[in-house]
Amino acid sequence: MQFFIPTLTTLLSLSSALPLTARWPTVTSVILPPSVLSQYSISTGAINYDTATGLVSKTGDGKDTSTLATFDIPPSLKGYTCSLHFYLDAGDSVASVSGSGLIDVYSSLKPAPAYDVPAWGPPGNQRDQHYGRLSVVEAGEATVQEGHPVTVKGFPCPGEGPVGFEIVGVYDQVGVAWDPTYSGLYLVY
């Protein structure tokens, strides 16, 4: 028994030092998180490629930020129906929601470039079709808001390769942040 208690204490301290594992929601279909997130400055046109956090921010000062999500779509998805969802994990230490908590999801003509863009000029955010409005909640799944496009609920899976979506804040005051290891926009097929 004397050996057991110190060993158990050591094992418990080691397990608490292990990194958190990715915790996406459990769904009956297969989920695909984005391969890369980039932050887009709406006021300057700058793109910060491959950021460690997703961020949607509008504070009324004109320095709005949206997130460009790039998904690597495998060719095997051809013919499937896809949907987009947004989830904040309770264990995500970065996750936060403020203001309206509303986000709009748009398809992109092209995904974000694989490099930083310092200011206005090509390529821009490549915003295309409005796919839907979601109400984000802390520690849970966002809900689709009726009265807006609801394409996020189901659409033909995009063709193979990188595909982009933009996540944009709604109204003058909104903030949503997340760690893409645990939370954020994801595709279901």
Side-chain angles (χ1 to χ4, degrees):
M1 194 61 145
Q2 290 176 357
F3 173 75
F4 177 74
I5 292 175
T7 303
L8 181 60
T9 304
T10 302
L11 288 174
L12 287 174
S13 65
L14 285 174
S15 67
S16 66
L18 295 174
L20 295 173
T21 58
R23 297 178 300 260
W24 287 90
T26 304
V27 293
T28 56
S29 300
V30 180
I31 70 168
L32 179 67
S35 55
V36 176
L37 293 184
S38 301
Q39 291 180 10
Y40 177 73
S41 170
I42 295 169
S43 63
T44 68
I47 297 173
N48 293 322
Y49 174 72
D50 198 12
T51 59
T53 60
L55 177 65
V56 172
S57 174
K58 291 176 84 177
T59 59
D61 63 1
K63 296 179 182 174
D64 302 347
T65 301
S66 67
T67 290
L68 308 175
T70 300
F71 291 84
D72 289 324
I73 307 294
S76 59
L77 292 193
K78 187 174 178 93
Y80 280 86
T81 297
C82 286
S83 59
L84 288 167
H85 305 262
F86 194 93
Y87 173 78
L88 288 182
D89 189 273
D92 181 344
S93 63
V94 175
S96 65
V97 179
S98 63
S100 71
L102 296 173
I103 58 172
D104 280 338
V105 178
Y106 291 87
S107 63
S108 295
L109 295 170
K110 292 193 286 187
Y115 52 86
D116 287 347
V117 175
W120 284 113
N125 59 353
Q126 298 291 313
R127 187 180 298 175
D128 192 23
Q129 301 287 320
H130 187 199
Y131 269 37
R133 179 166 291 173
L134 304 174
S135 178
V136 179
V137 295
E138 288 194 28
E141 190 75 34
T143 55
V144 177
Q145 300 295 291
E146 299 299 327
H148 302 276
V150 293
T151 308
V152 292
K153 290 184 173 183
F155 53 93
C157 288
E160 155 184 13
V163 174
F165 293 93
E166 183 179 12
I167 308 159
V168 182
V170 177
Y171 300 129
D172 288 338
Q173 300 288 321
V174 62
V176 180
W178 65 95
D179 179 337
T181 306
Y182 310 106
S183 302
L185 189 72
Y186 65 98
L187 188 135
V188 173
Y189 60 94

